[in-house]
């Protein structure tokens, strides 16, 4: 018996949660690298006594291109500026995507609020959750009309400069790629299971009662993530994915160490 099989047999939910974490943590590593590069860039500009402009953000491109090339799970990556951050435009996405031929291409949007085609990104969860919570987030799945028209997840983290919110570093993962990575894990569990984000949005599921993209009711998901510990509530077991903002939800098995939310 392999070590992986032994671990799964001993603690199946915790093992699956750890594997989901491992699959997504590589994407969050890319988000963290983008955040570090962006923070350093914006701090250099601030030290010069001026506001940043789009030309400054061009310095992020080599790192963004390299991350896209290295991370197979990722379909897009970049920095999304808070409105009013830049001196030459009202809003901006320094965003790069993998093309169908394996090329890397920029995302070009109409970001002028005076135009009817203005793409206001501030209401999207991938922007609003890190802005409002100060924590990294997994948004979706949702149809990404802004970037790809694909069903996607977006992993993001806030960027702060001199104590002020400057925008988010983020990366996209097509849902079909995420499901290919995690569904075999979920199917090895003895019963129906699903992965949900802090707001209860289902990111992957083997439970026909909870389809991908639907909302699972219950504020306990955010509390489970905050605690970082397995627990149970209302007939289900909640197992946080160890640092990644997703919760594995299965039928409740109450133990002496389980925490009730």
């Amino acid at each position: 018996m392999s070590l992986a099989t032994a671990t799964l047999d001993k603690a199946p939910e915790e093992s699956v949660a750890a594997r989901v974490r491992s699959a997504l943590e590589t994407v969050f590593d890319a988000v963290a690298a983008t955040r570090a590069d962006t923070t350093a860039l914006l701090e250099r500009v601030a030290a010069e006594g001026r506001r940043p402009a789009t030309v400054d953000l061009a310095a992020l491109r080599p790192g963004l291109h390299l991350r896209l090339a290295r991370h197979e799970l990722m379909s897009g990556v970049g920095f999304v500026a808070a409105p009013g951050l830049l001196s030459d435009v009202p809003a901006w996405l320094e965003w790069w995507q993998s093309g169908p031929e394996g090329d890397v291409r920029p995302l070009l949007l109409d970001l002028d609020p005076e135009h009817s085609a203005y793409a206001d990104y501030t209401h999207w969860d991938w922007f609003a959750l890190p802005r409002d919570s100060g924590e990294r987030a997994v948004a979706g799945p949702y149809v990404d009309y802004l970037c790809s028209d694909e069903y996607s997840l977006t992993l993001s983290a806030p960027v702060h400069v001199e104590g002020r919110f400057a925008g988010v570093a983020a990366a996209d993962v097509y849902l079909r790629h995420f499901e290919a990575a995690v569904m075999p894990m979920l199917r090895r569990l003895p019963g129906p299971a699903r992965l949900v984000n802090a707001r209860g949005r289902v990111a992957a599921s083997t439970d026909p009662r909870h389809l991908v993209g639907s909302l699972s009711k219950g504020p306990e998901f955010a509390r489970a993530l905050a605690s970082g510990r397995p627990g149970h509530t209302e007939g289900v077991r909640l197992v946080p994915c160890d640092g990644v903002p997703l919760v594995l939800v299965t039928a409740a098995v109450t133990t002496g160490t389980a925490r009730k939310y």
Side-chain angles (χ1 to χ4, degrees), residues 175-189:
L175 186 65
R176 51 190 167 91
H177 295 160
F178 177 70
E179 287 186 314
V182 304
M183 286 298 284
M185 308 174 198
L186 297 183
R187 292 192 180 108
R188 293 186 68 180
L189 292 171

Side-chain angles (χ1 to χ4, degrees), residues 145-250:
Y145 294 114
L146 202 63
C147 297
S148 64
D149 291 331
E150 283 258 8
Y151 219 29
S152 301
L153 299 173
T154 300
L155 285 63
S156 55
V159 176
H160 291 94
V161 177
E162 298 180 336
R164 298 180 61 184
F165 175 72
V168 301
D172 282 341
V173 175
Y174 290 152
L175 186 65
R176 51 190 167 91
H177 295 160
F178 177 70
E179 287 186 314
V182 304
M183 286 298 284
M185 308 174 198
L186 297 183
R187 292 192 180 108
R188 293 186 68 180
L189 292 171
R194 63 192 187 274
L195 291 165
V196 305
N197 68 8
R199 290 186 174 174
R201 184 74 63 183
V202 179
S205 176
T206 61
D207 188 340
R209 299 168 300 174
H210 298 278
L211 301 179
V212 169
S214 64
L215 276 173
S216 293
K217 294 182 180 179
E220 65 276 358
F221 302 121
R223 291 201 296 271
L225 286 171
S227 77
R229 295 173 53 193
H232 66 278
T233 182
E234 298 176 8
V236 296
R237 189 172 188 222
L238 308 178
V239 182
C241 292
D242 192 21
V244 168
L246 288 176
V247 178
L248 175 64
V249 185
T250 64

